[in-house]
Amino acid sequence: MWLFDNKAVPSIKTTLPGPKAQALLERDQQYMSPSYTRIYPLVCERGSGAVIEDVDGNLFLDFTAGIAVTATGHCHPDVVAAIQDQAGKLIHMSGTDFYYQPQIDLAQRLTEVAPGVSPKRVFFTNSGAEALEAGLKLARWHTGRSRAIAFFGAFHGRTYGAMSLSGSKLVHRRGFSPLVPDIHHIAFPRGCKMCSDVVAGCACVKQIEDTVLKRVAPPDEVAAIFVEPIQGEGGYHVSPPGFLPGLRDLCDKYGILLVVDEVQSGMGRTGRMFAVEHWDVEPDIICLAKGIASGMPLAMPLARQMMSGSTRQSGELPGSAGDPGFVAARICRQCSRPRRTAPPRTATNAAAFSGSRGSAWPWPDDGYGCGAHARNGIARSRPA
Ligand SMILES: Cc1ncc(COP(=O)(O)O)c(C=O)c1O
């Protein structure tokens, strides 16, 4: 375990980028696709907790956590041990064809900590976008309806279904049409004072009913509403108090499914395991990725059993999905905190993920429940 040799952080000893980094940037430019959206010339060498060392020996505090991926910090010793242990036993196991205990353990653990009382099931994928694809397919399959409602400012990923649900930036869509049809976008409540009152009802939800559902999308054709409880890529907007409960009621009224994208906001980043717990709402499908395996490619829709149990989903599980389930299972086992407790206030993720063991691991002190999520805002301002 490298603990940055007890040096003070940050520690910058070259001009940036340094000479080794500069040489690698030039080679990268020659051989790598220009599709990557890099905005910092940082060439990483190794990481430890919240610290990254670049190839020239400069030390940085990592405020991005790989865009919300390394939820337990870089190279958490438990995660490293789980990977090393598993690599000697079994690296690939096709969940499409066979069975494997760590997958079952992880699925059970996740359904136990998921918000709400309904029994749930898990469907493993590799990335957040795939989790959203699977969620969209499941919603269409289960309801027999084609349409979906999503929000401006939302980012759900870069595959076709996920891209079509996104309403964040033109750069994600330009040149890729035609997209998946029948997806309607509506404004996400940004600082809407009228949605602050849970009792009076949420004006932005009412607007969906009065406009989209009355003018362009018959409710009996709408399969699902997709929403991030806290918009990430779109600019870190938190749902006002009445919004998610209002969406839940609207969905129940018309038999529409509520799909919550917790790819970025989930796994302890807001002080609760799932951000949606702050609103006390039980979604029909929760899409998870990123922090679930702290850097290993693992994602999933977690769906209420009444829908995933009634159908045979086919044609969407990638052969390798769920392979690193052992890592997440290891992380997850540490989440001994019972659900619906008050959010821990400091060193949020450390407390959430280390359970009663305590941790000598170098956690950043979030200072408040939303710290880990809000911090990521530093990475948000990419050109449209
Ligand atoms: C809210 C949200 N949903 C989905 C995705 C897509 O996840 P992935 O990059 O793993 O496909 C992202 C990625 O940033 C995201 O922030």
Side-chain angles (χ1 to χ4, degrees), residues 90-104:
L90 185 65
I91 293 178
H92 172 68
M93 192 289 306
S94 177
T96 50
D97 299 338
F98 309 118
Y99 302 86
Y100 192 51
Q101 183 180 337
Q103 283 190 344
I104 302 164

Side-chain angles (χ1 to χ4, degrees), residues 127-129 132 155-157 228 261 263-264 290:
S127 68
L132 269 294
F155 181 74
H156 297 294
E228 290 169 88
D261 180 343
V263 167
Q264 191 168 148
K290 290 186 181 277

Side-chain angles (χ1 to χ4, degrees), residues 67-117:
I67 318 294
V69 171
T70 53
T72 58
H74 291 285
C75 303
H76 189 288
D78 287 353
V79 175
V80 173
I83 294 169
Q84 286 171 338
D85 180 46
Q86 184 67 29
K89 279 191 210 150
L90 185 65
I91 293 178
H92 172 68
M93 192 289 306
S94 177
T96 50
D97 299 338
F98 309 118
Y99 302 86
Y100 192 51
Q101 183 180 337
Q103 283 190 344
I104 302 164
D105 289 346
L106 175 58
Q108 179 179 346
R109 185 75 184 107
L110 285 167
T111 60
E112 285 166 0
V113 297
V117 291

Side-chain angles (χ1 to χ4, degrees), residues 199-333:
V199 181
C202 177
C204 297
V205 172
K206 185 92 178 62
Q207 209 199 350
I208 298 174
E209 190 170 22
D210 292 346
T211 57
V212 181
L213 298 185
K214 281 224 167 70
R215 297 178 193 278
V216 288
D220 57 352
E221 291 182 12
V222 178
I225 297 179
F226 286 77
V227 64
E228 290 169 88
I230 301 175
Q231 284 195 336
E233 168 88 15
Y236 292 84
H237 298 284
V238 180
S239 293
F243 182 55
L244 293 173
L247 283 184
R248 178 69 275 174
D249 290 345
L250 184 73
C251 287
D252 289 343
K253 183 170 172 187
Y254 293 107
I256 297 169
L257 300 177
L258 182 62
V259 185
V260 167
D261 180 343
E262 294 244 16
V263 167
Q264 191 168 148
S265 59
M267 306 323 293
R269 290 176 58 78
T270 65
R272 306 260 173 119
M273 188 57 72
F274 303 90
V276 73
E277 291 177 67
H278 291 284
W279 289 267
D280 207 14
V281 159
E282 180 174 4
D284 297 298
I285 301 176
I286 306 177
C287 296
L288 294 171
K290 290 186 181 277
I292 183 76
S294 210
M296 300 298 282
L298 185 75
M300 69 210 61
L302 209 165
R304 288 171 70 179
Q305 216 173 74
M306 55 86 176
M307 74 186 85
S308 54
S310 65
T311 60
R312 179 180 156 76
Q313 285 243 293
S314 59
E316 65 188 319
L317 180 66
S320 59
D323 273 344
F326 60 91
V327 178
R330 176 69 73 92
I331 297 166
C332 214
R333 264 203 298 279

